[in-house]
């Protein structure tokens, strides 16, 4: 395996890390492989390492190349910045496809939670010249061949608005420790006082959306970046999975997007697991940081995602065909 680190934007702290299976005689020589470009989640305020290398290693074991995009977050999270970061990553991969033995017709974007919002944007907006002016003349260069969206943020009106963050009774908003305090969003929008509890809860939806819009936002902006509203006949095939017990990013994000895909005649596969929470990565003990990230029943998502990738790219079938001659 060869690992490459590419600084796509020093100013925005955007880095692409590629993990490439090298061409060698022990494999089928000259084989071009699919690549999965992974966008970790983190509410646009940080990037989860549990949703980065552990995921990439599983795709490598399946015979695919993998890459991790550390896109712009915090002050660099405002749309369409991360979308352009991912477009630049896909363009870079296609520019090097021959050198890296990447199949340019099998570039799959994947994301977790907020990272799935980044991946999903490219899946629906790849041919939008207003959002992606650098590719106005050649949008196919950045068009994904598929997207794998894991407990995705897709509908900006479908996240937890009453999140218990353990605020003590009597605590003031400015004293509450919470990792999603955008400096341009008033604390009165982020924290909601519950009279019955006598303490503050967080409106995670407003807090996360503040990063997407660099502060306060309008209903029109929220509607536009709610991606189920942007599905069209040009949207690339999608694989989605969600847990029915996800109380942070509601399962309706995946359900409504899948419904929009069906309405427009687009290829979609959806897995909804009964129970299980948010941010569970591989769903097993190897990526669980606490019991809430552990739901082994959903561990099968990775096998399904690999099978789906083989199906839409024809990669596994090609391998067998090559062996038979």
């Amino acid at each position: 395996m060869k690992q490459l680190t590419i600084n796509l934007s020093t100013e925005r702290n955007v880095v692409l890390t590629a993990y490439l299976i090298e061409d060698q005689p022990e494999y089928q020589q000259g084989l071009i492989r699919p690549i999965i470009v992974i966008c970790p989640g983190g509410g646009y305020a940080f990037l989860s390492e549990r949703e980065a290398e552990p995921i990439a290693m599983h795709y490598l074991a399946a015979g695919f190349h993998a890459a991790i995009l550390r896109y712009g977050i915090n002050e660099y999270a405002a749309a369409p910045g991360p979308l352009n970061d991912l477009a630049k990553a896909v363009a870079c991969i296609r520019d090097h496809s021959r050198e890296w033995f990447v199949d340019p017709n099998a570039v799959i974007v994947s994301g977790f939670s907020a990272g799935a919002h980044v991946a999903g944007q490219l899946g629906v907006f790849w041919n939008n010249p207003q959002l992606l002016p650098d590719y106005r003349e050649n949008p196919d260069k950045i068009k994904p061949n598929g997207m794998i969206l894991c407990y995705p943020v897709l509908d900006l009106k479908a996240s937890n608005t009453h999140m218990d963050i353990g605020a003590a009774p009597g605590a003031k908003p400015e004293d509450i420790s919470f990792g999603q305090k955008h400096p341009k969003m008033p604390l009165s929008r982020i924290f909601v006082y519950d009279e019955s509890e006598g303490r503050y809860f967080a409106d995670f939806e407003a807090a996360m959306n503040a990063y997407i819009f660099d502060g306060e936002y309008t209903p029109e902006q929220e509607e536009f970046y709610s991606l189920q509203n942007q599905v069209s006949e040009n949207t690339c095939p999608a694989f989605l999975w969600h847990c029915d017990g996800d109380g942070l990013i509601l399962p309706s994000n995946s359900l409504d997007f899948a419904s929009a895909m069906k309405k427009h005649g687009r290829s979609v596969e959806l897995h909804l697991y009964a129970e299980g929470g948010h941010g569970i990565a591989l769903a097993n003990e190897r990526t669980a940081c606490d019991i809430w990230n552990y739901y082994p029943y959903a561990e099968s998502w990775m096998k399904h995602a690999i099978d789906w990738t083989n199906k839409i790219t024809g990669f596994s079938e090609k391998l067998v065909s090559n062996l038979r001659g």
Side-chain angles (χ1 to χ4, degrees):
M1 181 190 74
K2 177 166 61 176
Q3 180 177 333
L4 302 174
T5 301
I6 301 164
N7 291 315
L8 294 178
S9 173
T10 302
E11 179 185 355
R12 290 178 48 78
N13 299 321
V14 178
V15 176
L16 180 69
T17 306
Y19 302 86
L20 306 172
I21 300 173
E22 296 183 83
D23 188 47
Q24 50 185 282
E26 290 186 76
Y27 298 129
Q28 295 181 24
Q29 283 197 276
L31 186 67
I32 59 172
R33 303 170 183 269
I35 188 167
I36 316 294
V37 186
I38 301 159
C39 301
Y44 284 107
F46 76 101
L47 296 173
S48 170
E49 291 303 323
R50 298 187 302 106
E51 297 165 350
E53 279 197 357
I55 308 302
M57 296 305 110
H58 275 68
Y59 286 128
L60 283 168
F64 310 146
H65 301 301
I68 298 167
L69 177 66
R70 292 178 170 86
Y71 53 90
I73 56 172
N74 291 315
E75 66 267 36
Y76 304 115
L83 166 63
N84 278 269
D85 296 339
L86 181 54
K88 188 178 289 188
V90 170
C92 175
I93 288 167
R94 287 206 168 106
D95 282 342
H96 292 89
S97 60
R98 184 181 296 273
E99 172 191 351
W100 292 354
F101 290 89
V102 169
D103 183 348
N105 297 310
V107 180
I108 311 298
V109 296
S110 178
F112 293 77
S113 191
H117 190 248
V118 178
Q121 284 182 66
L122 193 60
V124 300
F125 289 137
W126 61 271
N127 61 345
N128 185 312
Q130 285 74 42
L131 297 179
L132 296 158
D134 290 348
Y135 308 97
R136 183 187 303 270
E137 303 302 324
N138 186 16
D140 285 338
K141 186 171 185 177
I142 60 168
K143 180 182 180 181
N145 299 105
M147 49 185 171
I148 299 170
L149 307 178
C150 311
Y151 39 87
V153 174
L154 297 169
D155 182 353
L156 299 189
K157 294 182 178 180
S159 299
N160 192 329
T161 59
H162 196 262
M163 179 183 178
D164 190 347
I165 52 174
K172 298 178 180 179
E174 57 268 24
D175 298 327
I176 297 172
S177 177
F178 181 53
Q180 297 279 150
K181 287 184 180 180
H182 192 282
K184 295 182 184 178
M185 177 62 93
L187 293 180
S188 60
R189 289 287 309 277
I190 297 174
F191 297 112
V192 179
Y193 189 73
D194 188 313
E195 294 283 353
S196 64
E197 293 268 351
R199 61 194 181 98
Y200 283 97
F201 286 70
D203 183 337
F204 183 81
E205 181 179 291
M208 179 183 61
N209 290 357
Y211 286 86
I212 299 172
F213 301 111
D214 196 30
E216 295 192 80
Y217 52 91
T218 67
E220 290 76 19
Q221 288 175 304
E222 196 175 42
E223 284 290 321
F224 182 79
Y225 278 98
S226 290
L227 303 184
Q228 77 278 4
N229 299 327
Q230 302 297 341
V231 172
S232 72
E233 66 277 5
N234 295 315
T235 300
C236 67
F239 173 98
L240 304 97
W241 70 276
H242 224 114
C243 287
D244 196 38
D246 192 335
L248 185 66
I249 306 301
L250 306 183
S252 60
N253 281 271
S254 290
L255 293 169
D256 290 348
F257 190 85
S259 179
M261 291 285 284
K262 292 297 293 181
K263 179 181 177 181
H264 288 275
R266 306 309 296 147
S267 174
V268 62
E269 181 170 330
L270 168 65
H271 295 260
L272 181 64
Y273 294 94
E275 303 178 5
H278 188 73
I280 64 176
L282 290 172
N284 57 33
E285 69 282 1
R286 293 182 290 282
T287 56
C289 59
D290 55 44
I291 195 63
W292 307 109
N293 302 135
Y294 179 66
Y295 185 53
Y297 183 74
E299 192 174 0
S300 62
W301 80 262
M302 176 58 79
K303 179 184 182 304
H304 293 311
I306 289 168
D307 289 346
W308 177 84
T309 301
N310 276 316
K311 179 181 178 182
I312 70 163
T313 64
F315 179 63
S316 183
E317 184 179 330
K318 179 172 68 175
L319 290 177
V320 175
S321 178
N322 288 348
L323 291 175
R324 289 175 175 162

